Structure formats: C-alpha cells, structure tokens
Amino acid sequence: WWHWLYTRDRVFLRDRAFVPMKDAVLFLVDYMKRPEARGPRWGDDAYHIFPSVPPELYELRPGFDKNADVIADLTLTRYVFNAFIEACDVLGKNTEESALMGDIRDILAHFPPYPTAKSSRGDVFVSVRGEDPEIVYNVPVSLMTVFPGDHHGLHSPPDDLRVAVNTYRNQQNEGGNELVFLNAQAARLGVLDLERFKRQVAYCTLPNGTCADMVLQVHGRYTHDLPFDFMAPMGIWFENFSLPLVVNECMLQSYTGTLRFFPNWPGGRDAEFCSLRAVGAFLVSAQIKKGTVRWIEITSEVGGPLSLLSPWSGGAICERAGKRTTRAGETIRLETFPGEVLRFFPK
C-alpha cells in the first residue's frame, strides 16, 4: 500500500497489491465477526480482536487478561481496512466489493478504543488494556498508532497528540529493533532530539559500518550481567538500513497526504534536501536557512492533487509554467499535471 501511495502506480495496485490486501481484510473481518469476539461478555458493542498477543511481551495467559485488542493489531487492522476502502474507490471496485466494504464500515463504526493507562506523565497509550505503563518494552509497540500506523502525529487533535507525546516521553525501551522504529515515531511527533539520535547511532555502529541493536536498559528481559553488545555478533540487522528514514521524516512528512516541511528540524540549523519521495508521487526539494524556508520545488510524476502546509505566514508565491501567482492560507492546494515542476517562495 505504501508503494501505491508514494508512486501512484495503478497497475501495481491492481495486479500485485490488491489481492493480498483483500485476503488480509477477509481474514480480519471474519476474525472480528466471530461470536466470541463480540457480545454481552465484553460489556460493549464493539467487535474485538481476540485472542492475540502483544509483540515481544506476553504469551497466551490464563484468563486471556493480556490477549485482546492489542494496540498493534488495532492500529494495523484499522490501517488495512481504510486502505482497502480507498483501493476499491481507486480501482472502481465499489460495486463489486460492496458487501465486504459494508462489513468493514460496520466494524469501523464499532471499533475498540486504543488501550491507555495513567502514568506519571499523564495518559499514555499502552500495548494492551490493563498493562502497567512503566513496563519496559523491546519493540516500541505503544506508539504504533504514530508509526507505522499513520494515525497519530502532528496533524492530530491536541488531546490525541498530547497522549502520543506523553507515551514517547514515558516509554522505556530495553534496546532491540528500536533504532529506526522508536526514533521515527519521535520525528513524526516533532520531539526527536537529533543530537541524542546521532549518539545512539554511534553507539550502535559496528566496524563494518552497519548498525546493530545494543542494550539500552535493564528491568525488562535484560539483566545487569548481559553484555551491552550481545546482539552485535548475530549478523546483519537489516531493519537498521532504513536509518535515513528518521532524518527524512525530520525534514519532510507526507503520510497524511499533505506535505509538512521541516517538522522536526532545529530552528538554528541550515538544511537542504533534494528529491525526497512523497505521498502522491511527488519528488520534493527544499531549503531552510536561518530558521526560514527559502524555497520549495516539487515535481509531480503522475499529476493529481497537491496539498502542502505553507511554511510562510505571509503567503507564498507559486511559480509554474513560467507564471507566478500568490497563494494565501495555511494549506495550499493545487491540481498538478504529469511531469510538472512547481516552485514556491515566501511572498
């Protein structure tokens, strides 16, 4: 689905992505509509994801007290449901898939809430209902609504954003599969400390230039007598090859469909990026200098609607096809043509 979002390759969506997406949706609909996943025993009118297991933490437990409505399942299930509805619309399958789409909309209208708990920092997301908010995680499960779920972020209502930021600041992580995962979540929320991130990368870097996962703390599964680098000899930790994602998300975010520039970049640090791929099949370049965005250039590969948050409160000048127009407002929306190059400057 991400491939489709960032390339708008309709053939790929139709011939390669749609069928496995539909298979996943069929399973999830059947799983959540089982009699034991809804009804009086739950004390509500929701469809539940049951049984399940939070990643890396618990197994199936007596009484299943930590085995329903795991935040990872809720996040990714909601994601694929919404993606499938959009894919049907794009491919003209609304009539053909009307029954399945009806089931999806019914479940979404009766969807369980994300599990939360009260911590010393306020309300936070947790991996499963009833969990201690001070638990030490391996994988940053509790923030999966931010990444890869694309549900919460800087675009969220203030209350939701506050809970997500509280969760990041409260989360304890023992080290393991978090180098990109956790820091990308922080960048999405605009709270990543880039200098701290650089120190963590240096801490995890091996002599061959790749990054392993190193121990960050104990009191989870790790003990004081465990070597801090016990994972280093295990081979290549290929998920860490996506480290540039973290920096990219600091400079440009587009997962909502609207471009947001330098959302997690230090105001006093100059920066420039070129041809970052954005949702909508746009290649985007921009420069920030002395805390001000100086210019933006966007190439539309396939045409279609463009939406961007203007970094200039006084308005923007849009240059396209040799002509300049003035654009006001917080969000700039334009219809683009295949191969078109647009440039924006402060007014």
Side-chain angles (χ1 to χ4, degrees), residues 222-281:
Y222 301 163
T223 59
H224 285 288
D225 58 355
L226 187 70
F228 76 94
D229 60 349
F230 82 96
M231 286 177 278
M234 295 182 184
I236 298 297
W237 296 84
F238 64 88
E239 68 268 29
N240 292 335
F241 289 163
S242 59
L243 270 173
L245 165 72
V246 178
V247 179
N248 292 352
E249 291 289 324
C250 290
M251 293 200 252
L252 176 70
Q253 294 178 15
S254 67
Y255 65 94
T256 63
T258 296
L259 306 182
R260 186 186 293 268
F261 292 88
F262 300 101
N264 194 120
W265 197 254
R269 180 176 294 179
D270 296 348
E272 181 176 330
F273 63 85
C274 297
S275 297
L276 288 185
R277 180 168 292 278
V279 166

Side-chain angles (χ1 to χ4, degrees), residues 40-336:
R41 61 171 290 190
W42 295 96
D44 57 31
D45 195 31
Y47 293 97
H48 296 273
I49 301 179
F50 167 80
S52 189
V53 179
E56 307 280 355
L57 288 176
Y58 318 106
E59 298 179 357
L60 292 175
R61 293 161 55 100
F64 299 110
D65 67 322
K66 298 287 192 300
N67 298 120
D69 298 333
V70 175
I71 198 168
D73 297 331
L74 296 177
T75 299
L76 298 179
T77 297
R78 184 194 297 271
Y79 192 103
V80 75
F81 279 172
N82 287 320
F84 182 77
I85 290 173
E86 186 177 341
C88 287
D89 189 55
V90 169
L91 298 175
K93 293 181 176 287
N94 289 334
T95 300
E96 178 184 342
E97 302 294 348
S98 60
L100 181 54
M101 291 172 68
D103 283 334
I104 292 171
R105 291 192 172 99
D106 179 37
I107 293 174
L108 289 175
H110 302 87
F111 207 74
Y114 294 127
T116 59
K118 290 192 177 297
S119 75
S120 60
R121 289 177 170 81
D123 291 340
V124 297
F125 295 117
V126 289
S127 74
V128 68
R129 185 172 54 191
E131 183 175 75
D132 181 352
E134 305 306 320
I135 193 168
V136 179
Y137 291 108
N138 173 19
V139 197
V141 184
S142 57
L143 273 178
M144 285 188 70
T145 66
V146 175
F147 177 83
D150 294 353
H151 192 187
H152 293 132
L154 292 171
H155 65 286
S156 296
D159 287 348
D160 290 345
L161 180 58
R162 183 175 62 253
V163 174
V165 171
N166 287 348
T167 304
Y168 172 72
R169 298 199 186 285
N170 187 69
Q171 183 176 182
Q172 300 182 69
N173 195 288
E174 64 191 4
N177 307 104
E178 92 300 327
L179 182 58
V180 175
F181 204 167
L182 182 58
N183 290 301
Q185 292 168 339
R188 284 278 180 94
L189 295 170
V191 295
L192 176 65
D193 182 333
L194 276 168
E195 293 303 316
R196 180 179 176 182
F197 173 59
K198 286 165 60 178
R199 291 196 297 271
Q200 187 180 1
V201 172
Y203 173 57
C204 294
T205 299
L206 300 176
N208 64 4
T210 66
C211 286
D213 294 315
M214 301 292 192
V215 171
L216 296 181
Q217 71 171 89
V218 294
H219 304 307
R221 299 176 308 168
Y222 301 163
T223 59
H224 285 288
D225 58 355
L226 187 70
F228 76 94
D229 60 349
F230 82 96
M231 286 177 278
M234 295 182 184
I236 298 297
W237 296 84
F238 64 88
E239 68 268 29
N240 292 335
F241 289 163
S242 59
L243 270 173
L245 165 72
V246 178
V247 179
N248 292 352
E249 291 289 324
C250 290
M251 293 200 252
L252 176 70
Q253 294 178 15
S254 67
Y255 65 94
T256 63
T258 296
L259 306 182
R260 186 186 293 268
F261 292 88
F262 300 101
N264 194 120
W265 197 254
R269 180 176 294 179
D270 296 348
E272 181 176 330
F273 63 85
C274 297
S275 297
L276 288 185
R277 180 168 292 278
V279 166
F282 297 106
L283 300 179
V284 185
S285 305
Q287 181 191 72
I288 188 170
K289 199 167 186 178
K290 295 182 179 179
T292 300
V293 177
R294 297 302 179 91
W295 54 263
I296 296 167
E297 181 176 287
I298 301 172
T299 299
S300 177
E301 288 192 316
V302 299
L306 168 67
S307 174
L308 62 103
L309 290 177
S310 175
W312 304 296
S313 58
I317 296 172
C318 173
E319 180 181 280
R320 59 191 306 195
K323 297 180 181 179
R324 289 192 168 195
T325 57
T326 300
R327 297 280 170 169
E330 181 179 355
T331 304
I332 299 172
R333 293 183 175 87
L334 296 167
E335 193 67 31
T336 66

